[in-house]
């Protein structure tokens, strides 16, 4: 049965590619804009591709070095047998390559869709919405199709659970640096453009006089399209990898029922997303929020029905189905919680906007407080999902409780194709709004793109909360995969069948790892935010230089154009300089803890890293989203509107929140996944080689 389901998975992945190609050709066939739209759009496209090319060149060198290290030492030193090491190194490179390809596809279509959406906004909201959404859906279909195809092929070719972890490590490594690099780039430009443009000069957000405005639009693509796509590609692959490692161990060569279940549920999730994407359109209400939500509801409903039918027809345990649906339901609840704390129609944003009248200190205090409050429902939801899935599947037998948690993660990520489509829609329509303003396409087009952008901001907050929650369940499942890998290695070395059954925090090795692991996300976040800080200061100095030395720029004299490329270059060089150290720090810390305290210390390290990382990621994502929408709420005419004291205070809050929500916060997800995978891949080494 497993071969048939794997072939069906490949067929559905190819169907997703076909859907992506159709969506791409539809977007490309939409009417082109006027010469100004096309000219500015080409600036954005060229800047995004230049950054991606330079980033991928650096990451190619990094992945090459890591692949060589894997070839020599993982899973065992190469002189003990070369074949497994070769398989692992090739799987790692394949994971990195597939992730890079998905990011490139997303950038390619997003930088076309933004122009099409801007042009369509002159005639009405329906086609402008479709251009933005279908452009984002190309990314959704490409990312999930690629991840499903990659994992299926790796297992079919190697029949090795550890090779799947290698593939996942490749995807996670590239995602970690792509998200960090893209986040540093985009927030460098965003902060610089806002502080000089809005606060100092009082000019609009996308005023073409601002030298950082093109870099800001480029950043939306490299950070929120390529970066977030890589992040969710990584989470999707990691959830499947963790479930498959445990499923293969449970099947123990006597059956394939658990591995078949993982592939079946993942493939049906992609099929439901394909259909859901096809149903997305504007209704009579002309409400983009309603259109985005309705397609998500269609996808979720179809997934529940499809998996229930498969469970009945294929004899899958209903307990495993229940675990998957628990994950899906909790993901939805966490998205709703994130929406409450960040939506500009809800009380928290209104409260912080009102407080902003009294200065930026109150903006920061209010946003930080609501950010911390927002952590509880999401953390409690993740905990409840893990506990419920554990208890539901525990009666199935030894090992099934942790497998149930991994199935909850698979269930939560089942509709990730739709989630990525919604998420990528956000930066596309944000760019479209900028193009409308810079090209002077009129008040009607600006009002339409403002409406689309507002929906994009709301849905981005929901998808970020969803991504963090999915990462939370995934890394709990990866902790189970780590225990499975250690126990299999211990059994092979004659140390007993159940070497690890849990981690006692009163064990000094576990407690040592727990404290170190809890500190890593804070240090990681600080390094990324300081990177944005240093880079933004360089760009602000460049903006000031241009306004001082280019005659007529500040006054908007006809024909006077800023040196946009200088700002793009500053953001690019700074981001590439800052992206490697933070990721390396997390990986090196994992290796040091493992070599000092062994597998017990690594268990504590992962537990501390997961709890601390999820808390910080949720806090930064939601507080940043709240500050962003507070600014937009005031700009829409509330509490004095643009240029008021409340507006200036809200811009300061948004400036603090930018690296929170778009650089450090989302990158922590991937950092947790990377250290979890490093731990699993190094499990045999940590088991046999540690200082104590």
């Amino acid at each position: 049965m497993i071969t048939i389901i794997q072939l069906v998975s490949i067929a559905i992945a190819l169907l997703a590619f076909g859907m992506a190609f159709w969506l791409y050709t539809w977007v490309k066939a939409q009417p082109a804009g006027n010469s100004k739209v096309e000219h500015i759009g080409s600036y954005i496209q060229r800047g995004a591709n230049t950054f991606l090319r330079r980033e991928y060149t650096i990451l190619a060198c990094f992945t090459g070095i890591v692949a060589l290290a894997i070839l020599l030492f993982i899973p065992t030193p190469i002189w003990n047998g070369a074949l497994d090491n070769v398989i692992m190194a090739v799987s790692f490179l394949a994971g990195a390559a597939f992730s890079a390809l998905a990011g490139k596809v997303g950038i390619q279509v997003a930088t076309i869709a933004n122009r099409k959406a801007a042009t369509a906004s002159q005639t009405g909201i329906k086609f402008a919405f479709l251009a933005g959404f279908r452009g984002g859906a190309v990314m959704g279909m490409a990312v999930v199709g690629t991840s499903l195809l990659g994992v299926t092929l790796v297992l079919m070719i190697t029949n090795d659970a550890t090779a799947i972890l290698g593939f996942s490590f490749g995807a996670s490594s590239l995602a970690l640096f792509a998200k960090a690099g893209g986040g540093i780039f985009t927030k460098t430009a965003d902060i610089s453009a806002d502080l000089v443009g809005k606060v100092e000069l009082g000019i609009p957000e996308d005023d073409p006089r601002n030298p950082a405005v093109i870099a800001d639009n480029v950043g939306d693509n490299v950070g929120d399209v390529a970066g977030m796509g890589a992040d969710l590609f990584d989470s999707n692959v990691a959830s499947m990898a963790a479930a498959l490692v445990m499923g293969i161990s449970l099947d123990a060569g006597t059956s394939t029922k658990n591995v078949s279940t993982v592939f079946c549920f993942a493939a049906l999730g992609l099929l439901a997303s394909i259909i859901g994407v096809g149903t997305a359109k504007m209704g009579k209400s002309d409400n983009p929020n309603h259109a985005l939500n309705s397609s998500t509801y269609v996808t979720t409903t179809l997934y529940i029905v499809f998996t229930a039918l498969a469970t009945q027809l294929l004899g899958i345990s209903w307990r495993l189905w229940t675990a998957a649906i628990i994950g899906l339901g909790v993901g939805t609840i966490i998205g709703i919680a994130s929406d409450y704390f960040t939506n500009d129609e809800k009380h928290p944003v209104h409260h912080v906007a009102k407080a902003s009248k009294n200065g930026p200190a109150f903006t920061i205090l209010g946003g930080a407080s609501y950010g911390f409050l927002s952590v509880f429902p999401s953390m409690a939801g993740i905990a409840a999902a893990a506990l419920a899935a554990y208890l539901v599947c525990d009666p199935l037998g030894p090992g099934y409780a942790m497998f149930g948690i991994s199935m909850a993660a698979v269930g939560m990520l089942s509709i990730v194709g739709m989630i990525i489509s919604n998420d990528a829609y956000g930066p596309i329509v944000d760019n479209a709004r900028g193009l409308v303003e810079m090209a002077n396409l009129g008040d009607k087009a600006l009002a339409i793109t403002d409406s689309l952008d507002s929906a994009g901001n709301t849905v981005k907050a929901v998808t970020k909360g969803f991504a963090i929650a999915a990462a939370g369940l995934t890394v709990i499942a990866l902790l189970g995969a780590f225990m499975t890998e250690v126990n299999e290695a211990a059994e092979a070395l004659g140390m007993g069948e159940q070497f690890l059954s849990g981690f006692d925090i009163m064990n000094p090795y576990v407690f040592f790892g727990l404290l170190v692991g809890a500190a890593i996300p804070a240090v990681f976040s600080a390094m990324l935010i300081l990177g944005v800080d240093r880079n933004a200061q360089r760009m602000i100095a460049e903006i000031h230089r241009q306004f001082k030395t280019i005659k007529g720029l500040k006054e908007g004299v006809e024909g006077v154009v800023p040196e946009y490329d200088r700002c793009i270059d500053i953001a690019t060089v700074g981001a590439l300089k800052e992206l490697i150290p933070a990721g390396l720090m997390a990986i090196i810390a994992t290796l040091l803890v493992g070599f000092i305290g062994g597998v017990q210390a690594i268990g504590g390290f992962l537990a501390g890293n997961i709890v601390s990382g999820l808390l910080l990621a949720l806090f930064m994502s939601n507080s940043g989203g709240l500050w962003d929408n507070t600014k937009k709420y005031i700009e829409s005419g509330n509490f004095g509107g643009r240029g008021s004291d409340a507006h200036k205070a809200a811009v300061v809050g948004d400036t603090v929140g930018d690296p929170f929500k778009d650089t450090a916060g989302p990158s922590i997800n991937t950092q947790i996944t990377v250290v979890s995978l490093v731990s699993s891949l190094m499990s045999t080494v940590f088991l046999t080689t540690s200082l104590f």
Side-chain angles (χ1 to χ4, degrees):
M1 184 173 72
I2 179 63
T3 305
I4 295 172
I5 290 178
Q6 285 175 326
L7 291 174
V8 170
S9 297
I10 292 172
I12 292 175
L14 295 176
L15 180 63
F17 295 148
M19 182 68 167
F21 180 74
W22 178 80
L23 292 168
Y24 175 73
T25 55
W26 185 92
V27 170
K28 203 170 181 181
Q30 297 311 297
N34 62 33
S35 59
K36 200 165 185 179
V37 169
E38 293 300 313
H39 177 69
I40 298 169
S42 67
Y43 256 117
I44 296 169
Q45 186 174 46
R46 188 168 65 249
N49 284 320
T50 298
F51 173 79
L52 210 64
R53 184 173 62 252
R54 291 168 70 174
E55 181 183 51
Y56 281 2
T57 300
I58 291 174
L59 293 182
C61 297
F62 171 79
T63 52
I65 293 168
V66 175
L68 180 61
I70 291 172
L71 179 65
L72 293 176
F73 301 111
I74 299 176
T76 58
I78 194 168
W79 45 88
N80 293 339
L83 183 59
D84 287 345
N85 294 51
V86 171
I87 290 172
M88 186 64 65
V90 172
S91 298
F92 170 81
L93 290 172
F98 274 46
S99 181
L101 178 64
K104 177 62 178 174
V105 168
I107 285 285
Q108 189 64 30
V109 71
T111 51
I112 294 172
N114 57 11
R115 286 177 264 174
K116 305 296 187 179
T119 303
S121 67
Q122 294 177 281
T123 56
I125 194 170
K126 292 186 178 180
F127 278 100
F129 168 80
L130 280 178
F133 178 79
R134 289 182 173 177
V138 173
M139 182 74 168
M141 297 296 98
V143 165
V144 188
T146 303
S147 61
L148 180 61
L149 180 65
V151 171
T152 307
L153 290 177
V154 167
L155 189 61
M156 288 184 75
I157 293 168
T158 67
N159 198 30
D160 183 357
T162 310
I164 301 170
L165 290 175
F167 181 83
S168 183
F169 181 44
S172 298
S173 298
L174 191 119
L176 176 64
F177 296 114
K179 187 62 191 166
I184 292 170
F185 184 109
T186 185
K187 293 305 109 179
T188 293
D190 198 357
I191 287 172
S192 304
D194 277 1
L195 285 180
V196 179
K198 291 184 177 180
V199 176
E200 291 184 22
L201 302 177
I203 61 177
E205 181 172 353
D206 292 301
D207 195 303
R209 291 174 289 172
N210 194 328
V213 72
I214 298 295
D216 187 12
N217 283 281
V218 170
D220 289 336
N221 291 286
V222 299
D224 290 341
V225 177
M228 184 56 87
D231 180 12
L232 287 168
F233 178 93
D234 152 52
S235 293
N236 196 39
V237 170
S239 70
M240 290 183 67
L244 287 169
V245 166
M246 285 185 272
I248 289 169
S249 177
L250 288 170
D251 290 338
T254 59
S255 73
T256 58
K257 62 178 182 179
N258 292 308
V259 174
S260 299
T261 300
V262 176
F263 279 114
C264 178
F265 279 35
L268 290 175
L270 178 53
L271 180 61
S273 294
I274 294 170
I275 298 170
V277 163
T279 64
K281 60 182 180 179
M282 296 289 290
K284 293 179 180 178
S285 64
D286 285 350
N287 186 331
N289 272 315
H290 177 75
L292 292 169
N293 290 336
S294 64
S295 58
T296 304
Y297 298 150
V298 168
T299 302
T300 303
T301 303
L302 286 174
Y303 179 73
I304 293 170
V305 172
F306 288 168
T307 51
L309 290 172
T311 299
Q312 180 65 37
L313 293 174
L314 301 178
I316 297 169
S317 169
W318 283 99
R319 290 181 178 273
L320 294 177
W321 179 83
T322 303
I325 300 307
I326 287 170
L328 180 61
V330 169
T332 303
I333 292 168
I334 290 171
I336 292 169
S338 296
D339 177 61
Y340 173 76
F341 284 100
T342 58
N343 194 323
D344 62 8
E345 296 179 357
K346 301 294 194 296
H347 171 74
V349 167
H350 294 179
H351 176 85
V352 176
K354 184 178 180 181
S356 297
K357 294 191 297 181
N358 297 314
F362 294 98
T363 310
I364 303 299
L365 287 171
S369 299
Y370 280 116
F372 280 124
L373 282 172
S374 73
V375 167
F376 180 76
S378 298
M379 293 282 278
I382 295 168
L387 179 61
Y390 187 99
L391 294 175
V392 164
C393 295
D394 190 41
L396 293 175
Y400 274 95
M402 286 302 295
F403 184 62
I405 295 176
S406 72
M407 287 306 300
V410 170
M412 188 177 281
L413 282 158
S414 59
I415 61 166
V416 73
M418 177 58 70
I419 296 299
I420 296 173
S421 302
N422 286 350
D423 193 80
Y425 159 88
I428 289 172
V429 295
D430 188 9
N431 267 202
R433 189 213 174 278
L435 287 169
V436 166
E437 186 167 319
M438 286 185 277
N440 297 314
L441 297 186
D443 290 340
K444 178 187 174 184
L446 196 60
I448 285 173
T449 50
D450 272 336
S451 173
L452 296 175
D453 188 28
S454 176
N457 283 322
T458 300
V459 81
K460 272 199 296 183
V462 174
T463 55
K464 280 186 173 68
F466 182 93
I468 294 167
L473 271 184
T474 298
V475 293
I476 294 170
L478 283 171
L479 184 58
F482 168 70
M483 291 174 61
T484 299
E485 289 287 296
V486 170
N487 286 333
E488 289 184 354
E491 185 177 356
L493 294 168
M495 296 181 177
E497 289 188 8
Q498 283 296 314
F499 186 84
L500 284 181
S501 58
F503 302 102
D504 179 4
I505 63 167
M506 296 308 293
N507 181 318
Y509 299 113
V510 175
F511 198 68
F512 158 72
L514 186 74
L515 292 180
V516 176
I520 294 301
V523 178
F524 177 79
S525 300
M527 293 176 74
L528 293 181
I529 293 171
L530 283 170
V532 174
D533 184 318
R534 287 188 289 266
N535 219 23
Q537 290 191 49
R538 286 191 286 266
M539 187 177 288
I540 286 172
E542 171 61 22
I543 297 169
H544 285 156
R545 183 199 67 79
Q546 291 196 32
F547 276 123
K548 286 177 183 177
T549 59
I550 301 176
K551 292 182 179 180
L553 179 59
K554 190 182 292 186
E555 296 76 16
V557 174
E558 186 73 28
V560 177
V561 179
E563 297 172 4
Y564 296 124
D565 288 338
R566 294 289 294 271
C567 287
I568 293 173
D569 191 59
I570 287 171
T572 300
V573 172
L576 298 180
K577 179 182 176 183
E578 303 284 356
L579 68 86
I580 296 291
L584 277 181
M585 178 278 302
I587 293 171
I588 291 169
T590 309
L591 296 175
L592 287 174
V593 168
F595 284 125
I596 291 170
V599 293
Q600 294 283 357
I602 284 292
F605 178 87
L606 294 179
N609 196 261
I610 290 166
V611 174
S612 168
L614 289 176
L615 189 151
L616 280 174
L618 286 163
F619 162 70
M620 289 194 284
S621 177
N622 289 337
S623 58
L626 186 150
W627 281 318
D628 187 11
N629 279 334
T630 295
K631 177 194 70 175
K632 287 182 167 59
Y633 181 68
I634 293 172
E635 286 176 345
S636 66
N638 299 289
F639 301 110
R642 294 177 186 268
S644 64
D645 288 342
H647 181 231
K648 290 178 180 178
V651 171
V652 173
D654 182 43
T655 302
V656 174
D658 274 339
F660 275 33
K661 68 181 174 66
D662 289 324
T663 306
S667 298
I668 291 175
N669 307 347
T670 319
Q671 177 266 307
I672 303 171
T673 307
V674 165
V675 300
S676 299
L677 289 165
V678 168
S679 301
S680 291
L681 292 172
M682 294 289 289
S683 57
T684 303
V685 179
F686 292 153
L687 183 65
T688 56
T689 310
S690 63
L691 186 60
F692 298 108

